[in-house]
Amino acid sequence: MDWLTIQQLDKDTWALSEPRHWEETHAYLLAGTKQALLIDTGLGVCDLFSAVRSLTSLPVTVALTHAHWDHIGGCNGFPAPWVHRREGPWLERFPLSREAVLQNLTHGAPPFPPGFELDTYQIYQNGAGGLLEDGDCFQLGNRQVFCLHTPGHSPGHLCFWEPERGTLYSGDLAYEGKLDCFYPTTDPYAFAASVHRVAALPVTVLRPGHHRLEVEPCLLRQIDEAFQHLKARNALEQKAVHSFHSFSIHTA
Ligand SMILES: [Zn+2]
Ligand SMILES: [Zn+2]
């Protein structure tokens, strides 16, 4: 299996994934008739730019669900990425040290591809191309993609919503695996409110930021119920990993 896998999801949408790394990140390329949108850029281990160029010759805008290192890694080569205004500064000065990022990157000793040099690995720090707010919209020609501010996992977390196709790109707000709301910059109450908000949308296709790609949209309702359950028991502020059916919630 290659480090970067490309899966065509429909005639003009692709997932670019890194399944050999424990984080199993997904970036998504959405091609419209005039513009393409790349949602997230993965770990920065492989040449994402060439992969995207092999799929479309359209101008590409990069939009980030959030500015964590595992979503901004492949930004180099593209025009500077768009991010929610609350995380613009993180694209110039990342809040974690390079050592901490390398610890995560090398966890489990992943079989990095030939040509990748750990010594020269850099976190993207070239700034934002633009700052986003809730309700902003990317016009791709025949496709419209809306930004939903869904804080909690991080202060400026965004989900991207394509209402015409009922598709939600959920970043780190919803996936099968451990949902993280224990960092100093997370807010479990905001996380709960954000999940509650997107669970009310008519989502027919859910595209997560990590782990299994083929997840059912009912996952949103399940995560929403789990947060409500923890909130009712005052458990959101306690340090714990709460396990549910196909996901867990790491609090405090
Ligand atoms: Zn994250
Ligand atoms: Zn992530």
Side-chain angles (χ1 to χ4, degrees):
M1 198 198 300
D2 290 335
W3 183 270
L4 183 72
T5 63
I6 300 175
Q7 241 177 294
Q8 186 156 13
L9 303 172
D10 55 41
K11 67 178 183 350
D12 45 14
T13 312
W14 295 264
L16 298 105
S17 310
E18 294 170 277
R20 293 172 71 176
H21 190 267
W22 66 275
E23 293 222 23
E24 300 174 313
T25 61
H26 304 294
Y28 296 96
L29 180 67
L30 286 63
T33 45
K34 293 190 176 147
Q35 290 269 342
L37 184 68
L38 178 65
I39 297 175
D40 288 339
T41 65
L43 302 168
V45 164
C46 55
D47 184 0
L48 189 70
F49 182 77
S50 297
V52 167
R53 274 288 157 250
S54 74
L55 298 171
T56 181
S57 54
L58 290 165
V60 176
T61 301
V62 177
L64 302 171
T65 58
H66 60 303
H68 281 166
W69 70 276
D70 51 328
H71 296 252
I72 67 177
C75 284
N76 286 314
F78 295 100
W82 289 68
V83 69
H84 188 270
R85 66 175 167 75
R86 292 192 62 186
E87 293 181 27
W90 289 5
L91 293 179
E92 290 168 21
R93 196 188 168 125
F94 193 67
L96 277 184
S97 69
R98 183 172 179 274
E99 287 64 38
V101 168
L102 287 184
Q103 246 177 31
N104 277 309
L105 182 64
T106 57
H107 176 76
F112 289 121
F116 173 69
E117 300 286 346
L118 207 53
D119 294 348
T120 55
Y121 182 85
Q122 293 294 341
I123 304 163
Y124 176 83
Q125 299 280 256
N126 290 333
L131 300 177
L132 295 165
E133 297 276 359
D134 185 72
D136 284 349
C137 180
F138 290 101
Q139 304 277 357
L140 310 182
N142 60 335
R143 302 176 75 170
Q144 289 189 319
V145 183
F146 289 87
C147 304
L148 306 179
H149 184 211
T150 46
H153 173 75
S154 66
H157 189 281
L158 294 166
C159 289
F160 295 101
W161 171 231
E162 193 175 10
E164 264 189 30
R165 299 192 184 190
T167 302
L168 185 78
Y169 297 89
S170 60
D172 283 8
L173 188 75
Y175 51 70
E176 289 190 349
K178 188 158 62 65
L179 299 166
D180 290 326
C181 40
F182 69 96
Y183 309 120
T185 49
T186 61
D187 178 340
Y189 292 97
F191 203 127
S194 293
V195 173
H196 193 65
R197 177 186 181 193
V198 298
L201 295 171
V203 177
T204 54
V205 179
L206 180 61
R207 299 296 183 200
H210 294 275
H211 307 307
R212 206 158 73 86
L213 188 63
E214 304 297 336
V215 292
E216 295 296 325
C218 63
L219 179 67
L220 294 172
R221 191 174 37 78
Q222 292 165 359
I223 296 173
D224 180 28
E225 285 169 3
F227 267 100
Q228 300 308 325
H229 171 85
L230 294 177
K231 207 163 100 176
R233 279 156 188 74
N234 294 319
L236 286 180
E237 284 166 25
Q238 293 156 23
K239 195 173 175 61
V241 178
H242 308 275
S243 293
F244 296 89
H245 177 56
S246 62
F247 60 92
S248 58
I249 297 174
H250 191 175
T251 51

